[in-house]
Amino acid sequence: MAIPLSLLDLAPIASGQSARESFAASIELARVAERTGYQRVWYAEHHNMASIASSATSVLIGYVAAHTDTIRLGAGGIMLPNHSPLLIAEQFGTLASMFGDRIDLGLGRAPGSDQNTMLALRRDNTSADTFPQDVQELQGYLAGKSRIPGVEAVPRAEFPVPLYILGSSLFGAQLAAALGLPYAFASHFAPDALQQAVGVYRDTFRPSAQLASPHVIAGVNVIAADTHDQAVEQMTSAYRARTRAFLTRGPIRRNLTDAEIDEFLASPSGHQLSQMTRYTAVGTAGEVRDYLEAFAKEAGADELITAHHAQSVEDRIHSIELTGAA
């Protein structure tokens, strides 16, 4: 049986590229995913990152939805402690009113940013403490069953927007199970607790009006190309760029050579960073298919959400096409 595939698009801004070009690429990627049978495309809320253009997540979802026809689109995810539940209910109620039953809402509790940016977002270290209650408040608004007397989310779609809990620890797994919601694990960058979290989720899941049985989505990185060597070359380039961006954040910036990047990744300090992308399918379409099938079984996943990291838009599109076809 084929594994349902979805797509995570971080709307990357490559060196020398504008945000407008990144948004145009997001439309192109979503159209390819729609054409090649992917379930959904999700966009992640990140802030103060010069290489990621998906900070205004609901706006980007609406933009892409207006340029596609059938594929589901959503947030993977909205970092709910950055917002009031009412505001997010209004945004996603608007999206669902415009685009019908195509809108997903994945929810996380991390800031999606650094400490200073977290403060600029008007949140503090205690903002995440009410995440479970905030999810339920949001759920009430979207279903027309507000938990706040006299307060309703307007507009509200004719049907509830499906919620997903995102996480990389046991907390999210336990919350998703308790609320009877689908669970998406961020194994594409936080792989360590994957099997344990999925086990907890499945063992403690309680059916809900939205979901009768557990549904696990696992994140995995993908770089597919016509030849194995091309895929490895693209992966090396992409992960060097990722490491360079990580090392040059902040006020002191300098150009790091490829040799310096490779030396860092080979060091004990760089090992943790390189381990974040442990789950990466790289190679030809057949090699990627075999890896994803094995990974889905290992993860206990019902669906995979794939993050394609090739540097050029053309290579990312080709990777999406090859993976979908395989």
Side-chain angles (χ1 to χ4, degrees):
M1 180 179 176
I3 305 164
L5 290 181
S6 294
L7 179 66
L8 177 65
D9 179 8
L10 294 177
I13 306 174
S15 178
Q17 185 187 48
S18 68
R20 180 186 287 270
E21 290 172 301
S22 172
F23 299 145
S26 287
I27 289 173
E28 211 172 337
L29 264 61
R31 285 173 170 169
V32 170
E34 185 173 71
R35 213 168 47 235
T36 51
Y38 286 70
Q39 301 289 306
R40 66 191 91 243
V41 183
W42 278 359
Y43 306 92
E45 178 187 345
H46 290 286
H47 300 281
N48 194 32
M49 295 186 182
S51 61
I52 296 178
S54 53
S55 54
T57 315
S58 59
V59 178
L60 180 56
I61 291 169
Y63 183 59
V64 177
H67 291 83
T68 51
D69 297 314
T70 58
I71 195 163
R72 299 192 66 84
L73 300 165
I78 290 291
M79 301 297 106
L80 190 55
N82 293 345
H83 315 273
S84 74
L86 177 61
L87 181 65
I88 297 304
E90 290 171 342
Q91 291 177 5
F92 279 79
T94 299
L95 287 168
S97 296
M98 288 178 172
F99 301 107
D101 189 18
R102 295 175 55 201
I103 304 300
D104 295 333
L105 177 49
L107 301 168
R109 65 175 182 141
S113 60
D114 56 68
Q115 195 77 9
N116 285 338
T117 307
M118 185 177 77
L119 296 175
L121 288 165
R122 303 296 190 267
R123 64 175 283 180
D124 57 38
N125 290 324
T126 65
S127 298
D129 293 348
T130 58
F131 181 63
Q133 293 80 14
D134 290 345
V135 171
Q136 291 176 297
E137 182 182 336
L138 171 59
Q139 196 172 32
Y141 290 135
L142 291 170
K145 299 176 182 178
S146 175
R147 289 171 169 251
I148 310 299
V151 179
E152 301 291 341
V154 180
R156 184 176 69 84
E158 297 175 0
F159 40 80
V161 176
L163 299 185
Y164 298 74
I165 299 297
L166 278 58
S168 57
S169 68
L170 301 188
F171 179 89
Q174 291 166 336
L175 179 61
L179 297 180
L181 296 175
Y183 180 51
F185 192 91
S187 37
H188 60 295
F189 73 86
D192 290 344
L194 172 60
Q195 282 83 11
Q196 187 181 7
V198 170
V200 166
Y201 170 69
R202 290 194 180 279
D203 289 344
T204 60
F205 179 85
R206 295 164 55 185
S208 68
Q210 178 178 325
L211 193 65
S213 58
H215 185 83
V216 173
I217 303 174
V220 59
N221 305 292
V222 177
I223 298 179
D226 291 328
T227 70
H228 180 83
D229 289 346
Q230 286 175 334
V232 170
E233 183 179 346
Q234 290 175 20
M235 180 188 70
T236 301
S237 176
Y239 285 171
R240 278 175 179 162
R242 175 179 176 274
T243 305
R244 186 175 285 110
F246 177 83
L247 293 176
T248 57
R249 286 188 298 187
I252 301 174
R253 297 178 182 273
R254 68 185 185 91
N255 292 324
L256 296 173
T257 66
D258 287 347
E260 289 174 316
I261 294 292
D262 293 343
E263 184 179 355
F264 170 77
L265 288 173
S267 71
S269 299
H271 179 72
Q272 183 177 1
L273 185 63
S274 62
Q275 280 298 298
M276 290 171 67
T277 52
R278 181 193 317 160
Y279 293 126
T280 298
V282 56
T284 62
E287 289 172 323
V288 165
R289 179 198 62 226
D290 292 345
Y291 183 97
L292 294 182
E293 287 178 345
F295 171 73
K297 185 176 180 179
E298 176 188 349
D302 303 295
E303 178 181 338
L304 299 179
I305 187 158
T306 59
H308 296 254
H309 292 294
Q311 289 287 89
S312 78
V313 175
E314 293 76 14
D315 286 339
R316 282 204 304 280
I317 286 173
H318 194 43
S319 181
I320 293 167
E321 288 174 331
L322 288 173
T323 304

